[in-house]
Amino acid sequence: MWSKKLPPASLLVPFFLLHLLWTTTVHAREEKKGPSISQTKLDNPPANFFYFDDSEIILIHDRDAGIILRSVDAGKEFKKVDDIAEGKAWDVQPHPFNPKVAYALGETTEHWITNDQGESWTKFKTDAAPSLFKQPLGFHATDSNKVLLHTQECKGIFDCEEQDYYTTDGFKSVKPLRKNTSNCIFVHSTLRSEVDEKDLEIPEDRVVCVVIGRDSPYAKDFRVVFSDDYFKDGSKDGYEPYLDGDRTVKGIIKMAMVKGYLVAAAKAEHTAEMALYVTKDAKTWHRAEFPKDHKLEEDAYTILESTNYSIQVDVMTTKPSNPMGVLFTSNSNGTYFTRNIEHTNRNRGGNVDFEKIQGIQGIVLVNIVENWQDVARSSRAQKKVKTKISFHDGRNFEPITYDKKELHLHSVTDISNFFGRIYSSSAPGIVMGVGNTGDYLRDYEEGDLYVSDDAGLTWNLALKEAHKYEFGDQGAVLLAIYDEGPTNEISYSIDHGKTWDTAALVDGDKKVRAKVLTTTPDSTSLKFVLLATIDRKDYYVFSIDFEGLHERKCEKDDFEDWHARPESQDDPGCVMGQKQWYRRRKADAKCFVGEKFEDPVAQFDECPCTKKDFECDYNFKWDDPEHRCVPAGTMPVPSGQCEKGDDTYKGSSGYRLIPGNKCKGGVDMEQEVDRDCRESKKAPVSGKISVEITSFRGKYFMEHYYLERAGSSSGTDQTVIMRTNEKEIYISRDHGKVWTRELEGKEITAIYPHQYINDDVFFLTGGETVYYTTNRGATFDSFTADAPPTRDKVQIMGFHEDRQNWLLWTGAVDCSSSKNRECHSVTSYSTDRGDHWSTLARYVRKCEFIKKEGRPGGDELEKLVYCEQFEGEKLGGPLQLVSSNNWFGDQEVKFPDVIDFATMSEFIIVAAKDSDQKSLKIDTSMDGRIFADALFPKNLKVPHQTAYTVLDSSTHAIFLHVTVQDRASFEYGSIVKSNSNGTSYVLSLDGVNRNEAGFADFEKMLGLQGVALTNVVANREHPSDNKVKKLKSMITHNDGAQWALLPAPKKDAEGHDFECDIENIDSCSLHLHAYTERDDPRKTFSSPSAIGLMMGVGNVGEYLTRKSDGDLFLTRDGGVTWNAVKKGNYMWEYGDQGSILVIVKENVATKVVYYSRDEGDTWTEYQFSESEMNIFSISTVPSDNSRNFLLWGKDTHSDGKIVTVNLDFTGLTDRQCKLMLDDLNSDERDYELWTPKHPLQDDNCLFGKVAQYHRKKRDRDCYNGPKIPDPHTKKYCACTRQDFECEYNYERASDGSCALVGNHEPPDHSQACRDDPEKVSYFTPTGYRKIPLSECEGGKELEKFTSMEHPCPGHEKEFGKELLKKQPRLSGFWLFIVAVVLPIGMASAVGYWVWTNWGRKFGRIRLGGDAGSGTAEQPWITYPVMAVAAVVAVVATIPMLLGSLWRSVTGLFGGGRRYTTRSSFARGRGDYAVVDPDEDELLGDDDEEEA
């Protein structure tokens, strides 16, 4: 939760249940002894209702009628604003810093502004409509003419583009600020303290924005940029500041101003933890540090009302179903937070019972949960809430009392009045609240109204029963109205609540139900406004005026000096070095203050300095256990000290006076002290690799998973969880140096890490009991599922991408006997992490959440679940695909007879049986609601489509491997690629190797777009020679547009020539063993962080030979060139983003590894054991960003125990490499910029851009540290032939052009008009379509080249108007020449040329240099088109080979090999235990015979 309690002054308050319409005004009778009351009847409830600050002018917005009502006399009479047409006002907002200005926003592009408090309105227009879902306006605190406008343009309900605009002249003109923004704010969007104004020099026009990533529109890649000139030429992208040391940060999801602090929250993938970054100028940022036992999580912290010298944050510590929190306060620059009070009361909306008393420094009221242990244990426990108060800025808290009994008050979580604060106003020291005395807080209806006139020190009973209340005339008048039901009177007090009088609101027997009671924002007026209903339907505004109650104005003797914050009753306390006091009206004075719109002015006296006036100095942080400031790291030492063997030096005491503190004299904690010189020196590194070997009971390791810290996580542990064949669980928090046994005595049959949150892990037992941890194994809890795990070979647990606690569980029902024919699977769901379960669907095979980032549909997909369910809930019947978005309260049959479905990136793919029951058909959806048939190319020669491998769709297209030959031991197929919506496919590459299980030899290079490797069956065209496959390896550098054989290295690993001629690449190229031969699919060629590096085992020759005869090869340039590394079969792993490479022999007894710190130029042997071991695997964290590695093996010289070996390379260097983004040419910089390229292209344009990446210089002795941002730069290129591929039903001809397949028809592009009724026109097909990955701009746009634009049916007039706009006007003569003569001449010429030259080539387009003569210069253009995606998923067939990547039954219930998904295997990821959920689906698994 991100919330900030707002001050009452001039703020727009939404009423979600109230909408108002103006009618007539009726005056009630006026009582001489009470207030005068008038009422205005309303036809509709109001949407907005606010005062202009320092005035009695009120605006009411009626959204239903789209009008604004205005009152100039505090609500006595209202008149409709005539400058705005009825039905046009969609929203109304006041300017928070200029009490004269307000804005009326329309739903489209027409809006209005007033500069005279609504008396007159001026229309202005914008290019786009204001945002419907975010705050549309951003304000400048010191110049009200400067405003930001956040807009959105939507092509569909969920397809919206956001953009910000700005004005510097009060919307006389509006200019574009920046596209693709999430939100933008002025750095000067709040008034700053005197200290900030003095110390900070911030340009007046500095704007900071959260924008989409450089290559991604997803929230995980959002970033912060700022500009001092509104992103004008030269700074269009803006400056991206360092948020974490010398690194930029991605995943910025929220940003806000809190007093003078700009706070940004970042969330990385695979963690619920968030990082909070704080700045005051948008340029220099610091990460906020919290005590180690608390972490920030999304929707689990609330930024509260703060001060000019600290930020208050409440962090949730329990489950959201019954939440509690801990209150923290920061130091003056917002970097270090200390604990104030625990067990604060929160609600599910993130609201916290916390309020500062307005106008009084240091007094805070909070509600805490007394029975916090019960609430922490059970979400059903009833909270026992108590109220506490602090008079010392939260340093200590105490109860509040009435009549010697504890008093408890309702607060923010149970708000009854929508306006202003809960307890206080600007009336000095006057506080009111509804509550009760006793042990705990009871229901609101059981409460009474209490009042305090000494800022909460003492309390009195004001009125029995719960009341709404308000303050007027600086506290001289208190007004209340009964709030437990209808009433016909108000109550008021003029002596600080000691006595009360009443006044009738309405005549007769009618009663009103109070909705809102308010007055001017500064509470200085004697006039109040009540919004209420009569008869539960008619809305009224009541104006209540006390100006006639007393005539005398208060004089000097009617006031007293009132001191705030007493430490004792006679001794006022000090906050920020000052005693605070006010001159305020005495409670018994018979007068009114009468200083309308004059806020009470606080007076201050200086105090002597004490310890509480100091905070930790720079380079120091607060240590809770020691209760003192300690060094945060290595201490900087003044020049000339600690150089001659000195033991000490004069340095900071660790404390500094809090900026803005006014104390004088007293304690001086800033005096320098003698500090130990050892604090200034890091412990020297050993220069060695350290080793820790651990043995375990068992025969083999069943599974292991890394719980890698994501970018926004605050911890530094490297946690690994492992299970042995003995069903024992071990956890290491230091990458395998020390292991601890967990869940002893429990037989764990499977580990299920949360698919989206690395901190959460679930441990299955084979029965209903499931153990889990949500803090990386620090503590464990359990839940009881509805049934034991399913016996089907499917996913048992399902996880939601956004809702951490939403779970799906598929269990076995009626399965007590293995012979029970009614044994079936039932899926249940829980929204509270297993505390409560409800049945979702019966007789299912699997169920899955559909919500996924990037998939259109937004909140509509929140509860959307797909299930494969047997028709009529009868086993053996057709398997239906059904969906529901209300937990199967209702359900829809999507397909009546399916084989399987896959969810991957933005696509949902369904494999269903065709009508002939011999083939499969594919249907695709992007939103989970509408599916379209997949159209396969006519040149795909497959009699029956019986098996598919679904490839990754990260390049905005679907890639399928379609099995062509399924003969045992000779399987292969073709790869086809879809368009951007997954509906039409083109043939990509023939002969791609696959194995009997359906896995294909296909792998994307991680971290670098467009590079992929595959193995093809070279002898598939020779029947007499096809007893054994002969494989060749091929590579693409541009996402499959061209493929080539891998070039062989010049020499082998020992410097010798190869036996074949490497110049003849057809018979002498490099071949690598790929996915189908791996015993551990996590052994990928590449790394997501070692950009450009790949390693693999293979050979140089005409074909791929046996793996046991292979050698190790490496490339540093993305596969353009290769080097031979070592003779023999090795396993490899990347560390520290590729700065460390480690290799070890596979399945051979060894005691050495080899490592390289210069990207494989040189290798060093290292002995890790005295005895030899058989190493099964080598691993590190999935991101490859650690300097620790783990060997998994078995000791060959002991009793055969299984062992882990930790190799720690951190001792080799302690210097972090210098990135120095501000000085790329500096010799001190440890990085170079590397640009990937296609080996046969002259320029570096790939996919329409030139990208550059940071890579550590190979000769530098340093480590990379945090993830290096990539790419560094990106320059866009003009479109060329290489940015296009052949359209559906077209294929590449020998000359490089795209020609129709046979006599088939071109695709019908007018279908786009039927799919989108708003579409105005479409283009006829040219045979080309843009590669979805390409970002080229302009140039040769081949999808439009020679194409004709046509109007969509029903849009002919719009099309004509658009066409006229595009064409320049011509005079009569030239119009005749162009319109008549030239067309006739051109038609004749073109007709003759076609007749004589084109022959039978209709449907083919030749494009000069790019298609004709250009082909001679680019022979590789004849290779088939194919688009490569990331990691391959899985395959499915009829007859079935596999049901999906499942956890085998034997793996779950004892013994046997189990697998996770291929995505989890990628780059050593043991982080997921999911089987079907994403990118990795088997389409077509069944146990039936082929129909």
Side-chain angles (χ1 to χ4, degrees), residues 336 617-621 630-638 642 649 652 675-684 1214 1263:
Y336 294 107
D617 199 359
Y618 294 110
N619 298 314
F620 288 81
K621 64 180 179 181
V630 298
T634 303
M635 295 294 299
V637 177
C642 292
Y649 68 97
S652 171
R675 306 204 67 90
D676 194 327
C677 283
R678 289 174 294 182
E679 293 178 343
S680 67
K681 301 175 182 177
K682 290 183 179 179
D1214 61 353
Y1263 68 94

Side-chain angles (χ1 to χ4, degrees), residues 337-356:
F337 283 77
T338 54
R339 187 183 290 102
N340 288 118
I341 188 169
E342 297 192 86
H343 319 309
T344 52
N345 187 46
R346 302 169 56 93
N347 64 13
R348 294 189 181 189
N351 299 308
V352 182
D353 283 346
F354 169 96
E355 183 175 316
K356 292 179 177 290

Side-chain angles (χ1 to χ4, degrees), residues 525-592:
S525 175
L526 287 164
K527 298 177 182 179
F528 300 80
V529 173
L530 171 69
L531 178 67
T533 60
I534 297 179
D535 298 330
R536 297 184 178 181
K537 58 181 181 179
D538 296 327
Y539 281 82
Y540 287 80
V541 174
F542 291 86
S543 175
I544 306 169
D545 186 356
F546 285 88
E547 286 189 348
L549 201 60
H550 291 293
E551 295 183 358
R552 187 172 72 87
K553 184 176 180 179
C554 296
E555 299 175 356
K556 181 178 180 181
D557 291 340
D558 295 311
F559 291 89
E560 65 182 353
D561 292 346
W562 176 78
H563 292 265
R565 302 183 316 273
E567 291 185 359
S568 64
Q569 199 161 359
D570 301 318
D571 182 19
C574 297
V575 169
M576 289 294 286
Q578 299 176 114
K579 298 177 181 179
Q580 186 182 20
W581 56 278
Y582 284 90
R583 287 285 292 170
R584 76 173 186 182
R585 171 187 170 276
K586 296 176 182 177
D588 57 357
K590 303 297 183 182
C591 62
F592 284 150

